[in-house]
Amino acid sequence: MPKILVVGGGYAGFYTAWKLEKHLRKGEADVVMVDPLPYMTYQPFLPEVAAGSIEPRHAVVSHRRHLKSTRVVTAKVTAVDHANKSATITPELGEPWEESYDQIVMTAGAVSRTFPIPGVADEAIGLKTIEEAAAIRDKILTNFAKAANLPAGPERQRLLTVVVVGGGFAGIEVFAELRSFVSDLLSSYPQIAFEDTHFHLVEAMGRIMPEVSLETSHWVLKNLAERGATVHLETQLASAVGGVCQLKAKDESIEVIESDLIIWTAGVMANPMVKGTDFPLEPRGRITVQPDLRIVDEDTVIADAWACGDVAAVPDLTGGGVGGMCVPNAQHAVRQAKQLAKNLVATIRGEATVDYKHENLGAVAGLGLGIGVFQSGKFAMKGFLAWGAHRGYHGLAMPSWERKIRVVGDWVGNFFLGRDIASLDDRETPRAAFEAWASRPKPAVEAAPEAESPAAGQPAGAAGPAYATPAEDVSKEAEPVGAGESAKTE
C-alpha cells in the first residue's frame, strides 16, 4: 500500500489524517502522522483557558484517541529529502531514523513571531500553546494571592498589572477575557480594589482587529475603556527588560509600565522546520502551493507533495486574502485540510483534484463573559448575542462529540458554580514538596588516622557505619509543618 506521511498534528495535520481515515477505503493506503505533541490544540479556546472558563485538557484533542487507523508518531520531523522520499524522524529519546513515504503532507503549522526587543525573550509569554494559556491563568491567580498580602506600593502594582502586545484577534480576546476574569476575582480578594488592577494593550498600528469594520473596532475600544482597560494605539514596545515595559508612541514619547505578566500576541510565522526540507519557500518562509494544495516550484508541480495551513502559502481564489494568499487562521486551516484529504485520495484513484476556495464566513470574538462581537461583511453584531454566536460557533467547530461535551460541560458548570480560582502554579516544580522532606544518606565519615588507637572499650573497625541508618536519619528530622503550610526548602 502507498504510505502517506503527515508532518504536523495541529489543525491542518489532524484534520487531514482524520478525513483521510474517512475517505480511504480499507487497504487503500497507510497514514502516518508525526508531531512532537500528542494532541491538537484548539487555539480559539486559548483565551478562555487563560481566563478559567475552559479546563486546559478540554481544549486539546488527543491524537491517539481520535485517529483510529493512523499510525501516530510522537516525535519531530527534522529533515525532509523529497527527492528520495525520506524524512528524518527525531524522537525525544532514542536515535533518529529515516521514514520512507509515497505521499507527503506538510502541515507543521506556525510559531510565535517575535522581534529582537530587549527583554521580550526573557520576560514575555506567548499564546500559541495550551501550556502557555494555563500558565497565564495560574500566574494571574498566584499574583493576586501575593498582592493581597502586600501594602500599596510598586511591587503590589506590578503584580496586578497585565500587558498584552498585539491588537489582533488573539491579543484582544485574551486581553478582554483576562479583564473579565480579574473583575470576577475581586469578590474573593477584599484586600484588592478594582482600581488596583491595571490592563494595558500595545498595538503598533492605528487600529485593532483588522478583520472587523472600523466601526466595530471602535465599539470594542469603547467597551474595553468602560471596563478599565487601556489600549495604546500607534505604540510600540521598546524594551521589557526586568518586566519594565517601555512604550514608545508615534510622537516619540516614552511611557514606562512595570508588569509581572507580559503576553506577546504580535504575529506568527511558519514553523522554521520547513527550512530543513527541499521544498520551495516564498519570502515569508511558507511552502508554495497551487490552489489544489499540491506543492509547486514556480509553475512546476512537485509530484506526491502537498501542504496546507499556516505553513503553506495558499492562493486565495476569492481575492480577499492579503497579498493574494489565504490568511493564516483556523477557518482556512480546517477547510484546506478537508479539501487536501479529498484531493489526495482522488489522486491515488486517478481522479481529478478540486481547487480550494472559501468565502470568508466572517469573524467572531469573545470579549469576556456575556460580551462579544461578530462581523460578516457589513453586518455586525455586538454584546450578548455576539458572545452567544461565538460560543455556539466554536462549540460546534470543536472536533468530535467527546470534546464538544467536555467544553460545553465546562461552560454549564461555570454558569452555576462560577470559575475555578485555584492556582496550580507549583506544577512547574512538582517535585519541590517531595524533595523538601525526602531523607537522604549522610555524607561518608572521614576515616580516622591510623596512628590513633580505637576508643576505649571499642574494638578497631567498630566506629559505626559510614552512613546513617534510616532509623537514625528519621529520628533527627525536623518536625513537619502544620496542615496547609508550605514545605519549601530554605
Side-chain angles (χ1 to χ4, degrees):
M1 289 188 295
K3 181 192 291 185
I4 302 170
L5 178 63
V6 181
V7 180
Y11 271 121
F14 174 82
Y15 269 93
T16 297
W18 205 27
K19 295 305 175 182
L20 282 173
E21 289 188 349
K22 176 181 177 181
H23 298 309
L24 287 168
R25 302 186 187 108
K26 186 176 181 180
E28 194 168 20
D30 279 333
V31 181
V32 180
M33 189 184 75
V34 185
D35 191 278
L37 296 174
Y39 52 77
M40 181 210 89
T41 302
Y42 192 78
Q43 292 181 351
F45 282 155
L46 293 183
E48 290 200 58
V49 171
S53 295
I54 297 175
E55 285 303 304
R57 280 188 175 84
H58 297 172
V60 300
V61 182
S62 170
H63 291 156
R64 297 178 187 274
R65 176 164 185 166
H66 294 281
L67 297 176
K68 302 300 184 182
S69 59
T70 299
R71 177 161 71 93
V72 176
V73 179
T74 305
K76 293 180 179 180
V77 174
T78 51
V80 175
D81 180 8
H82 187 64
N84 295 303
K85 290 192 174 179
S86 176
T88 303
I89 313 297
T90 305
E92 186 174 356
L93 294 175
E95 296 297 320
W97 74 88
E98 298 299 317
E99 185 85 20
S100 61
Y101 60 83
D102 297 287
Q103 302 270 352
I104 189 169
V105 180
M106 297 298 298
T107 55
V111 298
S112 295
R113 180 191 63 178
T114 59
F115 306 103
I117 300 171
V120 167
D122 300 317
E123 302 292 339
I125 186 171
L127 193 67
K128 286 290 292 177
T129 69
I130 196 68
E131 292 83 3
E132 289 172 327
I136 290 170
R137 171 182 175 177
D138 288 334
K139 189 74 168 178
I140 291 279
L141 293 168
T142 299
N143 284 359
F144 252 66
K146 291 177 180 178
N149 297 325
L150 294 176
E155 183 58 29
R156 191 174 193 262
Q157 182 170 319
R158 177 190 177 98
L159 292 170
L160 298 176
T161 298
V162 176
V163 174
V164 176
V165 183
F169 254 67
I172 290 294
E173 283 193 286
V174 72
F175 186 65
E177 288 283 359
L178 291 180
R179 176 68 271 184
S180 173
F181 182 37
V182 166
S183 295
D184 286 349
L185 276 180
L186 294 174
S187 61
S188 300
Y189 290 88
Q191 307 93 330
I192 301 174
F194 180 87
E195 295 75 18
D196 296 331
T197 61
H198 308 278
F199 280 75
H200 298 270
L201 184 136
V202 183
E203 170 53 48
M205 305 299 290
R207 60 162 299 178
I208 60 170
M209 304 173 75
E211 298 88 347
V212 303
S213 68
L214 192 61
E215 180 185 356
T216 301
S217 71
H218 286 166
W219 182 89
V220 174
L221 288 173
K222 180 181 178 182
N223 178 268
L224 289 171
E226 291 172 349
R227 293 157 61 187
T230 303
V231 177
H232 305 262
L233 296 177
E234 296 185 325
T235 303
Q236 296 181 350
L237 178 66
S239 175
V241 175
V244 179
C245 299
Q246 294 184 10
L247 310 185
K248 185 177 180 181
K250 187 177 180 180
D251 61 4
E252 301 297 323
S253 62
I254 298 291
E255 182 177 356
V256 177
I257 300 169
E258 290 195 40
S259 173
D260 197 49
L261 179 56
I262 304 168
I263 304 170
W264 181 274
T265 65
V268 297
M269 64 180 182
N271 193 322
M273 71 78 53
V274 299
K275 297 177 182 178
T277 72
D278 51 358
F279 294 124
L281 306 178
E282 45 95 72
R284 295 184 63 182
R286 298 177 296 180
I287 299 172
T288 55
V289 302
Q290 62 183 20
D292 68 354
L293 305 171
R294 285 187 286 189
I295 298 177
V296 292
D297 189 355
E298 295 183 348
D299 296 326
T300 303
V301 175
I302 297 178
D304 305 326
W306 309 75
C308 70
D310 293 354
V311 81
V314 181
D316 190 340
L317 299 184
T318 68
V322 178
M325 299 295 171
C326 296
V327 296
N329 61 23
Q331 190 176 140
H332 279 303
V334 170
R335 288 168 175 79
Q336 287 169 10
K338 293 178 180 179
Q339 188 61 58
L340 189 155
K342 291 179 181 178
N343 285 347
L344 205 165
V345 173
T347 300
I348 292 174
R349 296 173 183 170
E351 300 169 358
T353 61
V354 176
D355 288 347
Y356 172 76
K357 183 178 180 180
H358 171 64
E359 293 284 351
N360 191 352
L361 298 177
V364 61
L367 305 176
L369 292 181
I371 306 171
V373 292
F374 170 77
Q375 183 87 44
S376 180
K378 294 183 179 180
F379 174 75
M381 188 163 53
K382 313 173 188 73
F384 183 81
L385 290 178
W387 175 74
H390 162 77
R391 285 204 162 177
Y393 172 78
H394 286 297
L396 291 173
M398 186 71 174
S400 86
W401 281 105
E402 180 257 342
R403 293 287 100 179
K404 289 178 172 64
I405 292 170
R406 291 185 188 276
V407 169
V408 173
D410 286 341
W411 288 337
V412 173
N414 288 342
F415 178 80
F416 290 103
L417 305 174
R419 289 184 268 208
D420 195 320
I421 61 170
S423 171
L424 299 180
D425 207 18
D426 284 343
R427 78 190 190 288
E428 300 292 338
T429 54
R431 295 188 66 252
F434 176 79
E435 286 185 279
W437 298 106
S439 297
R440 290 181 172 84
K442 290 186 177 181
V445 177
E446 292 185 8
E450 293 183 2
E452 295 183 7
S453 60
Q458 183 179 12
Y467 296 94
T469 64
E472 290 172 335
D473 194 34
V474 171
S475 67
K476 296 178 181 178
E477 285 183 353
E479 293 196 13
V481 294
E485 292 183 22
S486 173
K488 301 288 186 182
T489 56
E490 293 185 1

